[in-house]
């Protein structure tokens, strides 16, 4: 019976949906119908042949990771190529999407902090799910395991609210670090403070600090008790995903109205997403971030588009306040050193509200 239920739930995640408005018969009149509909229309849920969503069934760990990553990519687009993880069961049907989540999260952390991090938040998420599946506390032990892996059956277990808070903490930690203006040496200690459970918990019914650490993002309903061991239903998780989607879009939209550093971060995210879209020939995201003329200029220039590890210089146009000029110096093993100049102008086609209108190589 459990195997049958898992198969049906996977169908809701995997199989394309032809008509989002009539995707599921069992959510009509449900309290979470609007959130489920919203996410389905944006391709985060993709329908199934049975026309059932099973809103009151538990969400599984693997589905939760995949859906959270789909929310991220629905807003920003993918940022990096998935990297194969030896600790992740190759038989798990949604393995590649979980590996995409770890890759996106790594780039997000690097871009938001402004430097390359040795810390791997995506790996930690899977590591802690492994620990809790072994009956251990979901925290860093004194001596971390070397040989560990996450089999398919662990990813098919129901997701508890405490496990969900751990996942969302790692997804949102880059944004918390951004506001702290963290240095490279601060990142590992930031995570260690939570993962060793040295931070006091806001909620009296859990020792884990993760739920309290993400209260500022308002993903979960505000109550004095968190009910950490309660499994999340698919409808409850959809509600949290909708709030995550709203945070991503609202945060991206205001970036170019804030400080110079915040604008640099936004430009870096924008160019990183555009670069990966160019590498993968993803027309949807290319059109979202680059004008047609900017796309055509990439091949003419004949150099790689962007590397998020560089320093960006922003300059407002003296004659048009809507124009923003961005320059960056790159080093490529084949091309050598070169500089590119980007012109960004207002556009509603992506979450940042800016599009690259032209790209020029600067000859020294």
């Amino acid at each position: 019976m459990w195997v049958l239920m898992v198969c049906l739930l996977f169908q809701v995640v995997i199989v394309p949906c032809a008509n989002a408005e009539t995707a599921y018969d069992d959510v009509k009149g449900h309290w979470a119908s609007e959130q489920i509909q919203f996410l389905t229309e944006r391709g985060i849920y993709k329908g199934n042949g049975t026309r059932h969503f099973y809103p009151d069934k538990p969400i599984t760990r693997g589905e939760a990771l995949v859906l959270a990553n789909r929310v991220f990519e629905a807003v920003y687009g993918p940022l990096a190529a998935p990297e194969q993880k030896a600790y992740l069961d190759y038989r798990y049907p949604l393995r590649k999407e979980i590996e995409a989540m770890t890759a996106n999260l790594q780039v997000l952390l690097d871009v938001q902090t402004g430097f390359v991090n040795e810390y791997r938040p995506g790996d930690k998420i899977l590591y802690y799910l492994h620990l809790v599946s072994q009956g251990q506390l979901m925290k860093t032990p004194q001596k971390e395991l070397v040989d560990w892996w996450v089999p398919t059956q662990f990813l098919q277990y129901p997701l508890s609210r405490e496990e969900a808070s751990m996942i969302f903490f790692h997804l949102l930690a880059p944004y918390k670090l951004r506001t702290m203006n963290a240095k490279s040496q601060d990142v590992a200690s930031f995570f260690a403070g939570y993962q060793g459970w040295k931070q006091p918990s806001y909620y009296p019914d859990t020792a884990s600090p993760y739920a309290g650490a993400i209260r500022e993002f308002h993903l979960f309903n505000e109550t004095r008790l968190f009910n950490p061991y309660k499994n999340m239903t698919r409808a409850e998780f959809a509600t949290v995903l909708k709030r995550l989607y709203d945070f991503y879009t609202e945060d991206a939209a205001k970036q170019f109205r804030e400080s110079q550093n915040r604008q640099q971060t936004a430009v870096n995210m924008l160019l990183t997403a555009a670069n990966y879209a160019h590498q993968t020939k993803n027309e949807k995201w290319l059109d979202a971030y680059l004008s047609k003329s900017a796309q055509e200029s990439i091949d003419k220039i004949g150099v790689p588009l962007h590397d998020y590890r560089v320093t960006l210089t922003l300059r407002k146009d003296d004659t048009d306040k809507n124009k923003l000029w961005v320059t960056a110096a790159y080093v490529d093993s084949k091309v050598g050193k070169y500089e590119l100049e980007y012109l960004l102008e207002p556009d509603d086609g992506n979450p940042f509200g800016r599009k690259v209108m032209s790209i020029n190589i600067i000859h020294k």
Side-chain angles (χ1 to χ4, degrees):
M1 183 65 182
W2 171 250
V3 174
L4 175 61
M5 187 185 79
V6 168
C7 292
L8 291 174
L9 297 183
F10 276 143
Q11 284 184 328
V12 178
V13 178
I14 299 172
V15 182
C17 170
N19 186 342
E21 292 185 1
T22 58
Y24 314 113
D25 291 335
D26 59 349
V27 299
K28 295 177 180 178
H30 194 278
W31 63 267
S33 60
E34 290 186 11
Q35 292 89 340
I36 294 169
Q37 174 68 18
F38 180 91
L39 297 170
T40 301
E41 290 174 351
R42 283 151 185 80
I44 296 159
Y45 292 110
K46 302 190 178 182
N48 65 50
T50 67
R51 297 171 59 84
H52 283 73
F53 185 84
Y54 304 100
D56 299 317
K57 296 290 185 181
I59 189 78
T60 66
R61 293 165 175 166
E63 286 180 294
L65 295 174
V66 168
L67 291 168
N69 186 61
R70 286 185 185 175
V71 168
F72 180 87
E73 292 192 353
V75 176
Y76 297 110
L79 300 181
E83 296 180 0
Q84 187 170 344
K85 301 294 184 180
Y87 59 71
L88 194 57
D89 192 342
Y90 71 91
R91 297 165 297 184
Y92 186 64
L94 303 176
R95 172 187 176 132
K96 288 186 177 179
E97 290 198 70
I98 294 179
E99 291 171 342
M101 179 274 296
T102 65
N104 285 330
L105 184 52
Q106 191 63 48
V107 174
L108 177 65
L109 178 63
D110 291 350
V111 171
Q112 296 293 340
T113 55
F115 45 79
V116 177
N117 291 270
E118 294 184 1
Y119 186 85
R120 297 288 180 263
D123 293 350
K124 285 293 186 180
I125 290 175
L126 273 297
Y127 181 69
Y128 292 130
L129 289 181
H130 163 79
L131 288 181
V132 75
S133 298
Q134 298 293 319
Q136 301 182 47
L137 288 175
M138 193 172 52
K139 60 186 292 188
T140 301
Q142 291 184 343
K143 185 176 181 180
E144 290 198 42
L145 303 176
V146 176
D147 296 323
W148 63 276
W149 78 304
V150 183
T152 293
Q153 68 183 88
F154 287 0
L155 294 170
Q156 293 174 345
Y157 287 164
L159 179 81
S160 73
R161 287 170 57 87
E162 187 172 74
E163 292 162 10
S165 71
M166 180 273 294
I167 292 171
F168 288 115
F169 167 79
H170 285 83
L171 293 175
L172 294 167
Y175 298 93
K176 292 172 69 71
L177 284 162
R178 180 187 66 191
T179 61
M180 296 166 52
N181 295 318
K183 304 294 190 295
S184 58
Q185 64 269 23
D186 299 331
V187 174
S189 59
F190 167 83
F191 282 101
Y194 289 96
Q195 293 164 345
W197 290 11
K198 295 177 182 178
Q199 300 282 347
S201 177
Y202 172 82
Y203 298 97
D205 58 345
T206 175
S208 169
Y210 295 127
I214 59 174
R215 285 181 62 235
E216 65 195 87
F217 300 100
H218 308 292
L219 299 185
F220 293 85
N221 292 333
E222 187 63 37
T223 58
R224 193 66 185 97
L225 298 179
F226 189 69
N227 296 312
Y229 306 117
K230 180 179 180 294
N231 291 333
M232 295 198 73
T233 67
R234 297 174 60 77
E236 291 168 343
F237 197 74
T239 301
V240 175
L241 287 178
K242 172 59 167 60
R243 293 169 183 161
L244 179 67
Y245 183 99
D246 290 343
F247 166 75
Y248 283 149
T249 54
E250 291 169 8
D251 182 76
K254 66 184 181 182
Q255 294 305 297
F256 285 101
R257 301 192 299 270
E258 298 194 353
S259 68
Q260 183 87 348
N261 287 339
R262 194 65 62 86
Q263 292 183 50
Q264 286 180 321
T265 300
V267 173
N268 204 351
M269 280 279 287
L270 188 158
L271 292 177
T272 299
N275 178 60
Y276 188 65
H278 173 64
Q279 291 176 351
T280 56
K281 296 180 172 58
N282 187 321
E283 293 186 7
K284 171 188 173 182
W285 288 106
L286 272 174
D287 291 340
Y289 288 120
L290 302 175
S291 69
K292 289 298 183 183
S293 60
Q295 293 178 43
E296 293 170 358
S297 66
I298 296 174
D299 294 330
K300 294 179 181 178
I301 293 172
V303 296
L305 176 59
H306 181 63
D307 183 333
Y308 70 84
R309 294 168 290 187
V310 304
T311 299
L312 300 170
T313 302
L314 278 57
R315 174 176 60 85
K316 292 184 178 180
D317 191 283
D318 294 333
T319 60
D320 188 342
K321 64 179 182 180
N322 288 322
K323 293 183 177 181
L324 180 67
W325 296 93
V326 180
T327 57
Y330 303 94
V331 178
D332 183 77
S333 58
K334 296 181 180 179
V335 178
K337 296 181 179 180
Y338 62 97
E339 292 186 22
L340 292 180
E341 180 183 62
Y342 309 91
L343 171 60
L344 278 67
E345 295 185 13
D347 184 272
D348 294 331
N350 67 65
F352 295 103
R354 291 258 181 176
K355 177 180 282 191
V356 178
M357 305 307 294
S358 68
I359 306 173
N360 300 300
I361 190 165
I362 301 175
H363 298 285
K364 296 291 186 178

